[in-house]
């Protein structure tokens, strides 16, 4: 019988987490009754350095329910690294792993279809949104533009897929061989090459809490993905530099022509435009080169992607400082 592990990264999710736990427990029980998974299947919550009561809720659930497991990271490692922490820890106990966010926007009952595809022989099953009606116009436009740009420059991304997916144990073990610090899972997973398919679903509105990906964080996330997989941006700047160089030659010829014909009065506007244009291009180029150098710098240091503070996969072991915290909150 298939042993499933559901990995849920959490960051400041105290408002929605109790309901998420109950819904996932109910889903697990249904899948067991339908004989799609084993009763040994687990739900693993990864606390990504939350500043609210997220870890308290996870710990209490671990004490009350054997199927609930928890991992607490020492600090905020980021969504992608929290996913990796949960997946790498769970791969030893499960035949396949499903990752999803704690906000319940992804239809959790699609896991049933994931498992059917897994039993058909697929190692990776992507959850793909049918449409983006629940998103604002700006978020929808930026997301669609991101996917189009990434596909245009040769990065294989699954359109309208985030991090809701099923992966077999061997796929996760292969993923563990990718050692880069700047991990962009949406681009790395398709590189594995294992048999894969997609399942479509309708995404729901967030029931509680706030999104952990505001506009500026989405822009940074997209830029990280772009620079992690392609040299196209820096090549584009090189092409832009050459174009600017040729335009400056034409402009110089124009100035010489004016001087030869006696029109020697120079224009302040054209001078300022030239200075600002060239200066702007230089700053863009320097910034983009710095971005790539920064990534190289981070990779060469080989620092750990995350540090685990507490691991409750083998049962809750409460430390003295944790015991004091839970006693103050009335948790036994």
């Amino acid at each position: 019988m298939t042993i499933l592990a559901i990995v849920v990264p959490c960051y400041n999710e105290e408002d929605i987490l109790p309901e998420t736990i109950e819904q996932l427990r109910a889903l697990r029980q249904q899948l067991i009754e339908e004989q799609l998974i084993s009763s040994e299947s687990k739900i693993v919550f990864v606390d990504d350095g939350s500043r609210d009561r997220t870890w308290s809720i996870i710990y209490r659930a671990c004490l009350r329910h054997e199927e609930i497991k928890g991992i607490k990271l020492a600090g905020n490692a980021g969504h992608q690294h929290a996913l990796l922490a949960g997946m790498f820890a769970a791969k030893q106990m499960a035949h396949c792993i499903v990752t999803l966010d704690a906000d319940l926007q992804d239809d959790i009952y699609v896991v049933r279809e994931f498992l059917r595809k897994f039993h058909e022989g697929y190692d990776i099953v992507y959850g793909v949104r049918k449409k983006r009606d629940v998103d604002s116009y700006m978020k929808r436009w930026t997301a669609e533009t991101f996917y189009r740009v990434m596909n245009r420059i040769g990065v294989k991304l699954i359109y309208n897929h985030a991090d809701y997916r099923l992966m077999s144990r061997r796929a996760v073990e292969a993923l563990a061989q990718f050692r880069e610090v700047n991990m962009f899972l949406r681009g790395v997973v398709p590189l594995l090459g294992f048999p894969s398919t997609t399942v479509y679903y309708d995404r729901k509105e967030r029931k509680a809490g706030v999104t952990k990906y505001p506009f500026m964080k989405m822009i940074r996330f997209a830029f990280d993905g772009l620079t992690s997989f392609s040299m196209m941006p820096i090549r584009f700047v090189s092409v832009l530099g050459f174009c600017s160089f040729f335009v400056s030659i034409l402009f110089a010829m124009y100035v010489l022509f004016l001087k030869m014909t006696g029109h020697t009065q120079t224009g302040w506007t054209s001078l300022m435009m030239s200075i600002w244009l060239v200066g702007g291009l230089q700053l863009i180029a320097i910034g983009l080169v710095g971005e790539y150098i920064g990534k190289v710098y981070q990779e060469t240091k080989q620092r750990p992607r995350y540090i685990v503070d507490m691991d409750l996969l083998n049962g809750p072991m409460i430390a003295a400082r944790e015991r004091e915290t839970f006693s103050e909150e009335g948790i036994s």
Side-chain angles (χ1 to χ4, degrees):
M1 187 71 70
T2 300
I3 300 177
L4 169 68
I6 300 177
V7 174
V8 186
C10 306
Y11 179 67
N12 294 340
E13 298 287 1
E14 66 175 357
D15 294 332
I16 190 65
L17 195 54
E19 184 175 354
T20 301
I21 292 173
E22 291 307 313
Q23 289 201 24
L24 290 178
R25 290 187 63 240
L27 171 66
R28 172 184 173 276
Q29 187 59 38
Q30 291 178 19
L31 297 176
I32 292 173
E33 293 173 357
E34 296 172 12
Q35 297 185 344
L36 288 174
I37 61 173
S38 166
S39 59
E40 298 179 25
S41 299
K42 307 296 181 184
I43 305 170
V44 181
F45 291 92
V46 183
D47 178 23
D48 186 23
S50 299
R51 296 189 297 270
D52 59 5
R53 296 182 60 256
T54 293
W55 178 245
S56 300
I57 296 171
I58 294 173
Y59 198 100
R60 181 168 52 188
C62 291
L63 294 176
R64 292 180 174 177
H65 310 292
E66 184 181 357
E67 68 273 17
I68 302 294
K69 302 298 178 182
I71 298 174
K72 181 182 180 183
L73 302 186
N76 181 232
H79 181 264
Q80 301 290 279
H81 292 161
L83 280 174
L84 291 176
M87 293 165 67
F88 293 163
K91 67 183 176 69
Q92 304 299 331
M93 67 170 71
H95 298 122
C96 59
I97 297 171
V98 169
T99 58
L100 73 158
D101 293 336
D103 55 18
L104 294 178
Q105 287 189 271
D106 297 318
D107 185 359
I108 62 174
Y109 296 100
V110 175
V111 173
R112 185 178 288 105
E113 296 299 321
F114 285 1
L115 289 166
R116 292 195 177 105
K117 295 295 183 181
F118 173 72
H119 293 151
E120 291 174 9
Y122 293 101
D123 285 279
I124 304 172
V125 184
Y126 299 102
V128 178
R129 299 168 60 170
K130 293 180 181 178
K131 49 190 176 181
R132 308 186 70 99
D133 290 350
V134 298
D135 292 341
S136 64
Y137 173 78
M138 179 59 67
K139 185 174 182 179
R140 182 167 60 250
W141 180 82
T142 52
E144 292 174 350
T145 301
F146 170 70
Y147 283 112
R148 284 196 295 267
V149 170
M150 293 293 280
N151 288 323
R152 183 67 62 87
I153 64 178
V155 182
K156 295 194 302 181
L157 290 184
I158 308 301
Y159 187 74
N160 273 345
H161 164 71
D163 290 299
Y164 188 27
R165 68 177 74 88
L166 177 146
M167 297 181 66
S168 66
R169 178 190 293 168
R170 70 166 184 161
V172 176
E173 290 175 345
L175 179 64
Q177 299 178 33
F178 288 74
R179 296 294 184 181
E180 62 253 42
V181 174
N182 300 285
M183 180 67 76
F184 183 65
L185 286 173
R186 300 182 197 184
V188 171
V189 173
L191 294 178
L192 299 178
F194 291 116
S196 61
T197 186
T198 58
V199 172
Y200 294 90
Y201 69 97
D202 291 316
R203 189 171 171 86
K204 306 174 184 177
E205 294 185 4
R206 172 181 277 271
K207 294 184 177 181
V210 297
T211 178
K212 304 306 182 294
Y213 274 95
F215 180 73
M216 290 307 300
K217 192 171 182 178
M218 285 179 56
I219 295 298
R220 289 196 299 269
F221 180 72
F223 195 69
D224 283 341
L226 184 63
T227 53
S228 295
F229 277 85
S230 177
M231 293 294 293
M232 188 64 69
I234 202 165
R235 289 171 182 164
F236 174 75
V237 169
S238 299
V239 172
L240 199 61
F242 279 111
C243 292
S244 177
F245 173 72
F246 286 118
V247 169
S248 65
I249 291 178
L250 295 175
F251 189 75
M253 294 174 61
Y254 172 70
V255 171
L256 288 175
F257 172 77
L258 290 178
K259 185 175 182 179
M260 293 174 61
T261 56
H263 299 84
T264 57
Q265 186 175 359
T266 58
W268 182 85
T269 303
S270 60
L271 180 62
M272 289 297 102
M273 288 178 61
S274 301
I275 292 174
W276 283 102
L277 174 63
V278 174
L281 291 176
Q282 288 176 337
L283 290 175
I284 292 173
I286 292 172
L288 196 53
V289 171
E291 186 72 23
Y292 281 96
I293 294 175
K295 288 185 179 296
V296 174
Y297 173 65
Q298 290 178 338
E299 298 293 343
T300 54
K301 287 187 293 186
Q302 296 185 344
R303 291 179 178 175
R305 289 177 288 200
Y306 54 86
I307 296 176
V308 176
D309 184 12
M310 293 190 69
D311 184 347
L312 306 183
L313 264 66
N314 297 316
M317 297 182 297
I318 192 162
R321 61 184 177 85
E322 295 291 341
R323 188 180 296 111
E324 293 176 1
T325 300
F326 290 115
S327 296
E328 292 173 359
E329 296 178 0
I331 299 174
S332 57

